[in-house]
Amino acid sequence: MNFRPQSRPRHLVLCLGDQLDARSSAFDGFDASLDAVWMAEVAEESTHVWSHQARIALFLSAMRHFRDALRAEGLTVHYRQLDHPDNTGTLVLELSSSVGLLRPQRLILVEPGDWRVQKQLKTAALELGVELEIRPDRHFFCSTAEFAVHAKGRKQLRMEYFYRELRRKTGTLMEGDEPFGGQWNYDADNRESFDRSGPGQIAAPVAFPPDKVTREVFVLVGRHFAKHPGNLARFDWPVTPEQARKALEDFIEHRLPLFGKYEDAMWSSDGEMMPRPFLYHSRLSAALNLKLLDPREVIAAAEQAYRQGRVPLASAEGFIRQILGWREFVRGIYWYFMPGYLELNVFKATGSLPSFYWTGQTEMNCLRQTITQTLEYGYAHHIQRLMVTGLFTLLLGVKPQSVHEWYLALYVDAVEWVELPNTLGMSQYGDGGLMASKPYLASGKYIQRMSNYCANCRFDPAESTGGDACPFTTLYWDFLLRHEKFLGKNQRMAMQLKNLARLDPPQRKAIQQQAVHVREGCSASTAV
Ligand SMILES: Cc1cc2nc3c(=O)[nH]c(=O)nc-3n(C[C@H](O)[C@H](O)[C@H](O)COP(=O)(O)OP(=O)(O)OC[C@H]3O[C@@H](n4cnc5c(N)ncnc54)[C@H](O)[C@@H]3O)c2cc1C
Ligand code: SF4
C-alpha cells in the first residue's frame, strides 16, 4: 500500500516528474521525522499529448529511481504507481485523495515547469482547503522575477544581451569584466558541415542499459501505452544523477572538442536506414530537464576543460551558450508571456500536421531521416528540429499549436517551459519575434549545405518547380510570396526579399501552383 493515513505529515513535499533533485528548495527545512514526500505517476501526463514511449519510460524510470534514493536516505515517500488499482490517472485526483488521507498541514512545491500543472495544483489546493507554498526553482541561474526585471521596458528581448548579463553575473568564461578571448560569442565558428567523407568515427556516447527498475517500467509502458509513438528498443538514457554525471564526463572527454565546429551539421550514414543521431551533441537535455543534472556542474565541467586546454574556446563557449544563454532565456520567455503565449499565431497558420510526422514515411529524405530517428530515439539535435521538421511546418503553414503538441509529445527532453518557446517562437515565429529577431527561413539548399540528406533524395534542392523540385525550396519561395508584406517590415529579411524581387510573374505563378501540389500531397497521403 502506498499511502499510510496514520502518519499525518507536517509538510507534504510534492515532487513532480521533472523535479528529481534532492537539493531543490522543496527540501529546505525538511524534517524526516515530521515531513513526507509525495509523488504520483499519472496517465494524464502521457496522454494530454500523445507521448513517445521513450519519453514516458524515461520519466517513470527516473521518478522510481529518485523515490528509491530518497527512501534509502530514510525519507517517507508516498508514491502512487501508475498500475495501482486505485490510480485515478490525474495529478489533481491523486493529490486530492492523498490530502484526504494524510491531512498534511501544508503542501510544498517547487515552481513547476508547466503553466497548466501549476494552475491545476493551485486550484486543487484551494479547493481542498490546504495551504500550498510554491518555492523558487534554484536549478536555474535566472529566476522568473529576475527575468521580468530584465524584460520590463525593453522593446525587444534578445538572447545575446541576456546571455552576456548572465556571463557577468556568474563569472562564466570571464576575465574580470571581459569575456575570455575578447569575444562574447563564437557562433560564426560553429557552422561547419562535414565534407563528403562525413564525420568519420565519433566515439559513441556512453550507454545506460535498462536496469531492473527501467525494465519494469518498460512492461508498464507496453501494457498501458503500446499504441503511443516510438518504441523502447534503443532506450539507453541516464535515469539517475550518477548516470547523468557519467554522461557529462563522457561528452566532455570525447565530443565537446568538436561540438562547436559541427553543432549545426547533420548526417546520415550511407546505406544504413538509421542516421547518426547524436554526432557531437551532448544528449544531456533530458537529464538536465528532469533535474538529474545541475547546469552549474555542466558549465563548470566545460569551462574547466577549456582552461585545461582540452577543448577550444569556440566549443566551450558554444556549448555553454546553449545552457547559460538559450536554456535560461527560453524559460524566461515562457513564464513572462504565459498563458497568452500558447495562443500566438502571427502568420495565422491553420494547416494540419502531415500524417507522415507520425510515421516518417515520406520521399523527402531529410524529413524521413529526422522523423524516423525521432521515432526510434525520441531525439533529434537542434538543427534537425529547427531546420528540418520545424522549417517544413513553418513553410507549409501548419498551425503552430499543432506543431507544439508534436514536439512536446515526441522528444524525451520535452517539458513545456523549454519546448514551447523553441517551437512556437524560435521555429514557427508564431510569437512574431519575441524569441527570435527573424523567422528561421531557408530553402532546400541550406539542408544540402549542412547535411548529406539531399545526396540521397529524389528531389533537387536547387529546383523550385517541375518534377524534381524540392518541396522545401518550392514552399520557401511560396512563403516569402505569401508573407512578403509582413516580412518587409523586418530589416533582417531584406536580403531574402531582394532575391524574391528577382522572380518574374510567370516564375511566381509556377511556384504558387507547385506549392498547391505540395500542400495537396501533404494532406492527402504520407508519401509526398
Ligand atoms: C522546435 C524545437 C523544439 C525543442 N524542444 C526542446 C525540448 O522540448 N526540450 C529541450 O530541452 N530542448 C528543446 N529544444 C532545444 C534543443 O534542440 C535541445 O535542447 C537539444 O537538441 C537537446 O540535445 P542535446 O542535449 O544533445 O543538446 P546539445 O546540442 O548538446 O546542447 C547542450 C544543451 O544546451 C541546451 N540547449 C541547447 N539548445 C537549446 C535551446 N534552443 N533551448 C533550450 N536549451 C537548449 C540543452 O539543455 C542541451 O542539452 C528544441 C528546439 C527546437 C528547435
Ligand atoms: S532535396 Fe529537399 S526534400 Fe530532399 S533531402 Fe534535400 S531538402 Fe530535403
Side-chain angles (χ1 to χ4, degrees), residues 167-187:
R167 288 268 300 270
R168 285 200 184 93
K169 175 178 157 184
T170 59
T172 305
L173 292 180
M174 296 293 289
E175 268 168 330
D177 278 348
E178 295 302 315
F180 273 167
Q183 253 174 262
W184 289 101
N185 184 317
Y186 290 82
D187 202 23

Side-chain angles (χ1 to χ4, degrees), residues 313-332:
L313 182 54
S315 269
E317 188 283 321
F319 178 69
I320 287 172
R321 182 172 3 107
Q322 307 310 315
I323 296 172
L324 190 63
W326 281 114
R327 189 166 183 267
E328 296 285 325
F329 186 66
V330 300
R331 177 171 183 264

Side-chain angles (χ1 to χ4, degrees), residues 79-246:
Y79 191 97
R80 177 74 98 187
Q81 296 209 161
L82 195 125
D83 49 354
H84 189 281
D86 296 334
N87 193 314
T88 56
T90 76
L91 266 182
V92 166
L93 289 178
E94 284 305 304
L95 184 62
S96 305
S97 98
S98 303
V99 167
L101 287 167
L102 299 167
R103 294 178 295 112
Q105 290 169 23
R106 181 188 290 179
L107 304 176
I108 293 182
L109 172 71
V110 168
E111 295 165 305
D114 190 318
W115 193 89
R116 171 187 59 92
V117 171
Q118 172 154 302
K119 184 160 183 256
Q120 281 179 352
L121 294 178
K122 274 184 176 173
T123 311
L126 213 61
E127 284 171 2
L128 290 165
V130 59
E131 186 189 341
L132 171 66
E133 181 186 338
I134 298 188
R135 294 185 176 170
D137 192 346
R138 287 197 300 247
H139 173 89
F140 295 96
F141 291 90
C142 178
S143 71
T144 50
E146 282 166 332
F147 189 87
V149 170
H150 167 87
K152 200 164 174 231
R154 281 179 198 254
K155 272 199 187 150
Q156 282 190 328
L157 295 172
R158 290 295 165 252
M159 189 283 289
E160 182 61 31
Y161 300 112
F162 172 77
Y163 166 58
R164 288 180 193 180
E165 276 182 17
L166 281 189
R167 288 268 300 270
R168 285 200 184 93
K169 175 178 157 184
T170 59
T172 305
L173 292 180
M174 296 293 289
E175 268 168 330
D177 278 348
E178 295 302 315
F180 273 167
Q183 253 174 262
W184 289 101
N185 184 317
Y186 290 82
D187 202 23
D189 298 348
N190 294 353
R191 292 182 191 143
E192 287 197 35
S193 53
F194 301 115
D195 64 21
R196 276 164 175 268
S197 58
Q201 284 299 319
I202 302 174
V206 57
F208 303 97
D211 62 6
K212 187 169 171 283
V213 173
T214 304
R215 288 197 302 275
E216 280 169 12
V217 165
F218 282 5
V219 173
L220 192 75
V221 172
R223 203 173 290 143
H224 293 266
F225 306 106
K227 292 196 173 138
H228 280 235
N231 60 65
L232 299 169
R234 295 181 187 267
F235 187 102
D236 63 359
W237 297 100
V239 291
T240 64
E242 295 73 27
Q243 291 181 345
R245 232 163 269 139
K246 268 196 196 138

Side-chain angles (χ1 to χ4, degrees), residues 280-476:
Y280 289 100
H281 290 268
S282 69
R283 64 177 222 150
L284 291 172
S285 48
L288 279 163
N289 297 348
L290 268 60
K291 318 281 163 64
L292 302 177
L293 256 188
D294 188 324
R296 287 160 193 79
E297 200 178 328
V298 179
I299 288 173
E303 179 164 349
Q304 191 190 28
Y306 163 68
R307 283 173 184 271
Q308 291 171 344
R310 291 190 284 138
V311 305
L313 182 54
S315 269
E317 188 283 321
F319 178 69
I320 287 172
R321 182 172 3 107
Q322 307 310 315
I323 296 172
L324 190 63
W326 281 114
R327 189 166 183 267
E328 296 285 325
F329 186 66
V330 300
R331 177 171 183 264
I333 293 271
Y334 179 80
W335 286 105
Y336 194 62
F337 291 108
M338 277 300 277
Y341 197 81
L342 190 50
E343 306 303 325
L344 299 178
N345 183 358
V346 78
F347 292 122
K348 300 188 173 44
T350 55
S352 308
L353 192 74
S355 54
F356 63 73
Y357 268 66
W358 298 99
T359 63
Q361 287 170 23
T362 166
E363 284 188 287
M364 291 179 274
N365 191 36
C366 54
L367 281 166
R368 187 172 67 243
Q369 297 285 349
T370 303
I371 295 169
T372 306
Q373 172 198 312
T374 298
L375 291 168
E376 290 286 321
Y377 292 87
Y379 178 90
H381 75 63
H382 186 66
I383 296 302
Q384 293 176 299
R385 298 187 206 195
L386 184 66
M387 300 308 287
V388 181
T389 41
L391 175 61
F392 192 73
T393 53
L394 171 66
L395 298 179
L396 192 64
V398 178
K399 192 175 175 189
Q401 286 70 24
S402 308
V403 185
H404 148 63
E405 284 178 11
W406 184 81
Y407 279 100
L408 188 58
L410 273 248
Y411 288 93
V412 290
D413 55 26
V415 183
E416 195 175 270
W417 65 264
V418 53
E419 177 279 327
L420 181 68
N422 269 297
T423 304
L424 190 140
M426 188 189 291
S427 130
Q428 304 301 296
Y429 202 73
D431 65 7
L434 296 174
M435 257 290 278
S437 58
K438 75 182 192 62
Y440 284 87
L441 290 170
S443 73
K445 282 186 177 174
Y446 172 84
I447 294 175
Q448 182 184 37
R449 193 166 68 248
M450 298 311 299
S451 75
N452 66 341
Y453 295 148
C454 303
N456 301 311
C457 184
R458 89 154 194 78
F459 299 112
D460 180 349
E463 299 296 330
S464 56
T465 57
D468 293 340
C470 162
F472 278 82
T473 305
T474 307
L475 292 176
Y476 166 73

